[in-house]
Amino acid sequence: MAHGRITGWASNLPEQVLTNDELASMVDTSDEWITARTGIKTRHIGGKVTEMSTRAAADAMAMAGVTADQIDLLILATTTPDQQMPASASVIQDNLGLTCGAFDLNAACSGFVYGLVTAMQFIEGGLERVLLIGSDALSPVVNWEDRGTCIIFGDGAGAIVLERSADQPSLLGWDLMSNGDAADLLYCDHGDKIVMLGKEVFRKAVLAMESASLNAMERAGVNAEDITLVIPHQANVRIIETSLKRLGIPFEKAAMVLEHTGNTSAASIPLALVDALNQNRVNTGDLILMVGFGAGMSSAAAVVRWDPPQN
Ligand code: UT7
């Protein structure tokens, strides 16, 4: 149980949009196939993690009304840092003028939830404010000749400001897991492109989403009926539909952005969260289930009680 209120949020997508029809001119596929098998229509490409993250974070900080000197820690969840070193978090820290610790966290598509749980531990440990970003630029590591992968990925960033709160705990329960024995199902070697055994990843993803969600809900002491909004990793609409059905949560409770973003890995959960918050889909006391899975194979879920910002 941790006390950390989300007081600011924002997202950023690169300008360039790639449509299914454009993909169909590059590989043997069609808008109909991609739409029916994934739910994706367009994705944004050409982004850079440090640039997208800096924009999203600056907007989130402005919304929270916090200045650079008030941020105590920056955590960047990413699997595609701009450089091997330094950490992209350090570049973003400098861009934003922060004077605090900063590090990258790589748990692939589960990264934002890993980051949320990590940030909450730091807040419990005494920090006042943590800036958490989920960002990935997958377009540079996509094999644009492989129709089995290039149709799903995109670039983006989402950021939140977490502030210590004296009120009720906000992180009620969580689950972090990794199954390294399945690492060869989805990987990207240094200097190479993404390799994915899509069908097998799909099968494992459904089970991982279910198990992570059940564990987090059990630890939070809540049931599926108590969940008001689900923020699932945006990889494939069929994975989300199947997982929610197994959990007994109606699909209408899911925040969805993948139609216009594709799978943006660590950015996908914050992109969907920011969209839901901006649409006023969340009210005081609501229980939000965030759940992701990805390369590793990693999975993570968190049940968060929503306390509105009090700025
Ligand atoms: O966030 C990280 C985790 N990643 C994921 O969650 C991805 C999980 N996997 C998926 O989303 C799906 O497996 C894909 C969208 C990648 C593929 O969909 P699928 O329904 O699993 O297709 P499949 O690989 O089983 O292929 C079915 C058929 C095959 O043809 P045959 O052998 O039945 O004749 C494929 O060759 O569809 C064909 N196919 C395509 N056809 C048109 C595969 N990709 C395409 C394509 N366009 N892009």
Side-chain angles (χ1 to χ4, degrees), residues 112-298:
F112 185 79
V113 180
Y114 265 76
L116 178 72
V117 173
T118 307
M120 289 289 197
Q121 308 308 307
F122 276 105
I123 284 177
E124 285 299 284
L127 296 189
E128 286 294 329
R129 291 177 197 85
V130 179
L131 175 59
L132 171 62
I133 306 168
S135 178
D136 267 304
L138 295 160
S139 58
V141 286
V142 161
N143 176 355
W144 293 106
E145 293 177 355
D146 175 13
R147 69 175 184 173
T149 56
C150 73
I151 51 152
I152 67 169
F153 293 112
D155 305 342
I160 60 172
V161 175
L162 283 158
E163 299 194 53
R164 178 198 281 275
S165 159
D167 296 342
Q168 309 180 52
S170 46
L171 178 62
L172 305 184
W174 51 269
D175 184 64
L176 305 182
M177 184 47 67
S178 169
N179 285 300
D181 61 342
D184 57 355
L185 297 183
L186 176 54
Y187 63 90
C188 182
D189 285 326
H190 283 301
D192 215 333
K193 305 291 182 190
I194 295 173
V195 177
M196 180 175 75
L197 301 182
K199 221 179 180 56
E200 198 48 35
V201 172
F202 189 113
R203 211 172 287 134
K204 289 195 183 295
V206 168
L207 300 177
M209 295 266 281
E210 182 184 15
S211 144
S213 300
L214 289 174
N215 287 339
M217 287 193 291
E218 188 184 342
R219 287 170 195 153
V222 304
N223 298 313
E225 311 83 75
D226 302 321
I227 301 296
T228 330
L229 181 71
V230 184
I231 318 279
H233 171 43
Q234 312 278 307
N236 184 321
V237 70
R238 292 186 296 126
I239 293 177
I240 298 170
E241 283 169 350
T242 312
S243 314
L244 293 188
K245 200 168 180 193
R246 291 170 71 101
L247 287 164
I249 300 177
F251 181 74
E252 295 66 45
K253 287 191 177 180
M256 297 296 299
V257 294
L258 99 173
E259 184 180 347
H260 303 296
T261 62
N263 178 350
T264 55
S265 193
S268 90
I269 288 179
L271 285 174
L273 173 68
V274 167
D275 187 66
L277 290 169
N278 289 345
Q279 286 187 50
N280 296 317
R281 285 186 71 181
V282 190
N283 297 302
T284 305
D286 280 358
L287 294 184
I288 305 174
L289 170 65
M290 300 185 207
V291 55
F293 63 90
M297 286 194 63
S298 65

